[in-house]
Every structure is written in structure tokens, then in C-alpha cells.
């Protein structure tokens, strides 16, 4: 079946540190891949997405590249800010319009 | 345009009681999805409506859960009777058409069963 694995954390970093949150997936076919973020007290927000192999999604300084050969979609940011503190979810959609499969979420805390 | 809204934001009920959660999707979105995150675990799919029809309800845990979407607009998810293990955050999402990649999520309803 389809599944997503990601580092569960919590991850604690100092401001301006480099961030990597690993995400790997198992899926048949060619899924679309997503990173969602949940800030404290808020709902899920789409952070970035990639719909085919070698695509790079980017937003707000975050990046992730769809690597089919390693079935990975690792999230990176060169310099994190306190405002990036949130829970990050990696997710896949097996086919267009089908339900998402989520990873367990990674809680990130950025200290000033 | 207004986003996906959910009501209530938080509900605390006793075991055995009934709770109804509501989701209003983005106007014009035919597809509506329910998910939940239990005990800090991964977010899991519950079911998917296309307009008023259930497209996929394979994620519904048991018959204590009943989802409806009369008229193809808002949806309700009723839990009757609630059990302790139902505690968690229930998310609703919508998308305009079946082939759309992105789903737009609401803020979630935190359900606590005591």
C-alpha cells in the first residue's frame, strides 16, 4: 500500500540554522508529493508540492525535490526563523483527486 | 474567497455522548474530504464526497461514524456514541474538481472524549 515515513522529531534548532526534515514514501505509480505545515492554533496549510519526478517545490525559503530513484521528498531551508516553528507533514496523493496519505508529522521548534 | 471552515473548533464530550462536526468547503468545490489525527499520530483519511455522493468511505473506522453531505454543500460528521479513542483532531478538506492535485484544508475540530 501507500505510505509516508518522516522523521518524527521533535527538532529543535537555533535561529538561522539549516533545516532538513527527511521524508520517504512508498507508492505504486507516480504520486504527487506535498509538504503541509500546521502553525500553532491554525489549520493545515500547503507549503509546497511536486507532481512529477525531479520537480522542485519551493515556498517561503523552503525547498523539496521529488526524487523517484530514492523515493524521497526531503524538506530543506537554509536559515530558519522563530516563525517557522510548527508541525510539518509530508504527504502523497496516489493519483489526482484521491485521498492523501500523510506522514506522522515533525514538530520543529526554532529558538531565538 | 473564504477558506474551508469547520465548527466547532473544539468539543469536549463524555464517553457515550453524541457529537456532530460540521465542515463548510470552499464555495464551488465539489470534492470534500474528512481526515483525522488521533493521539499525535499521522493524519488518516476517513472519506471523500463528490457533491452529495460518497466516493470513498474506506477510511471510516466503524459504524459509530456517520457522514452526510445533503445538497452537496456543507458536510457533517456524527460520532455516536463517542469513545475515548475517538479523541483527536478532525480535518476537512475540499477541492474544486476530481482531477485537482491540491486539497485545501480547514483549521480542524479538536475532539476530546472524557
Amino acid at each position: 500500500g501507500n505510505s509516508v515515513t518522516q522523521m518524527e522529531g521533535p527538532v529543535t534548532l537555533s535561529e538561522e540554522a539549516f533545516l532538513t526534515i527527511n521524508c520517504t514514501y512508498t507508492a505504486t505509480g507516480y504520486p504527487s508529493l506535498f509538504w503541509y505545515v500546521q502553525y500553532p492554533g491554525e489549520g493545515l496549510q500547503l507549503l509546497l508540492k511536486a507532481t512529477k519526478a525531479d520537480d522542485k517545490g519551493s515556498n517561503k525559503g523552503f525547498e523539496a525535490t521529488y526524487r523517484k530513484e530514492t523515493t524521497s521528498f526531503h524538506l530543506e531551508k537554509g536559515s530558519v526563523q522563530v516563525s517557522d516553528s510548527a508541525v510539518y507533514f509530508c504527504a502523497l496523493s496516489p493519483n489526482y483527486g484521491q485521498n492523501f496519505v500523510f506522514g506522522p508529522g515533525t514538530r520543529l521548534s526554532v529558538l531565538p | 474567497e473564504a477558506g474551508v471552515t469547520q465548527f466547532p473548533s473544539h468539543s469536549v464530550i463524555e464517553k457515550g455522548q453524541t457529537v456532530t462536526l460540521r465542515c463548510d468547503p470552499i464555495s464551488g468545490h465539489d470534492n470534500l474530504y474528512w481526515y483525522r489525527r488521533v493521539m499525535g499520530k499521522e493524519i488518516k483519511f476517513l472519506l471523500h464526497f463528490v457533491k452529495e455522493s460518497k466516493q470513498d468511505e474506506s477510511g471510516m473506522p466503524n459504524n459509530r461514524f456517520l457522514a452526510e453531505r445533503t445538497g452537496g454543500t456543507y458536510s457533517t460528521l456524527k460520532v455516536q456514541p463517542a469513545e475515548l479513542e475517538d479523541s483527536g483532531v478532525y480535518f476537512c478538506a475540499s477541492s474544486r474538481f476530481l482531477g485537482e492535485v491540491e486539497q485545501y484544508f480547514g483549521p480542524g475540530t479538536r475532539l476530546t472524549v472524557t
Side-chain angles (χ1 to χ4, degrees):
Chain A
N2 301 310
S3 66
V4 175
T5 302
Q6 64 178 107
M7 53 192 296
E8 296 196 29
V11 175
T12 303
L13 296 173
S14 297
E15 205 165 23
E16 299 184 359
F18 184 86
L19 169 71
T20 299
I21 301 178
N22 290 336
C23 171
T24 57
Y25 67 90
T26 301
T28 55
Y30 303 95
S32 296
L33 301 176
F34 304 80
W35 278 99
Y36 277 84
V37 59
Q38 186 178 23
Y39 297 103
E42 299 184 14
L44 288 172
Q45 300 177 25
L46 177 66
L47 182 59
L48 52 84
K49 65 185 179 187
T51 58
K52 61 182 186 295
D54 300 325
D55 268 2
K56 176 186 283 188
S58 62
N59 186 25
K60 299 181 180 180
F62 290 89
E63 292 184 341
T65 301
Y66 189 149
R67 302 286 188 200
K68 193 174 190 303
E69 64 276 13
T70 55
T71 61
S72 65
F73 193 54
H74 304 322
L75 182 68
E76 297 182 335
K77 186 174 185 181
S79 176
V80 293
Q81 305 300 312
V82 173
S83 57
D84 294 326
S85 298
V87 181
Y88 293 80
F89 294 91
C90 185
L92 68 83
S93 175
N95 289 295
Y96 288 108
Q98 291 194 356
N99 54 282
F100 280 27
V101 177
F102 285 88
T106 301
R107 181 175 297 279
L108 170 67
S109 296
V110 181
L111 305 178
Chain B
E1 68 184 353
V4 176
T5 58
Q6 294 186 244
F7 182 84
S9 57
H10 191 184
S11 179
V12 181
I13 61 172
E14 293 183 353
K15 176 182 172 181
Q17 290 185 322
T18 298
V19 63
T20 300
L21 313 181
R22 173 171 169 146
C23 168
D24 285 77
I26 294 172
S27 177
H29 282 199
D30 286 343
N31 294 275
L32 189 149
Y33 305 80
W34 283 99
Y35 296 83
R36 73 172 181 176
R37 188 182 190 211
V38 174
M39 294 294 290
K41 296 184 179 178
E42 67 269 23
I43 300 168
K44 287 197 170 181
F45 166 77
L46 295 178
L47 86 159
H48 169 204
F49 284 99
V50 177
K51 296 185 180 180
E52 66 275 9
S53 300
K54 292 177 184 176
Q55 177 82 3
D56 180 357
E57 53 184 329
S58 60
M60 295 288 264
N62 52 61
N63 59 10
R64 294 186 295 103
F65 289 75
L66 175 63
E68 295 181 324
R69 193 183 182 195
T70 306
T73 54
Y74 71 91
S75 174
T76 58
L77 179 65
K78 179 189 289 188
V79 185
Q80 179 181 30
E83 299 289 345
L84 298 178
E85 63 264 26
D86 300 332
S87 296
V89 180
Y90 290 75
F91 292 101
C92 176
S94 71
S95 65
R96 187 177 303 275
F97 52 87
L98 197 55
E100 186 170 18
V101 172
E102 184 175 345
Q103 295 179 15
Y104 300 84
F105 282 80
T109 293
R110 180 173 296 278
L111 175 64
T112 302
V113 183
T114 62

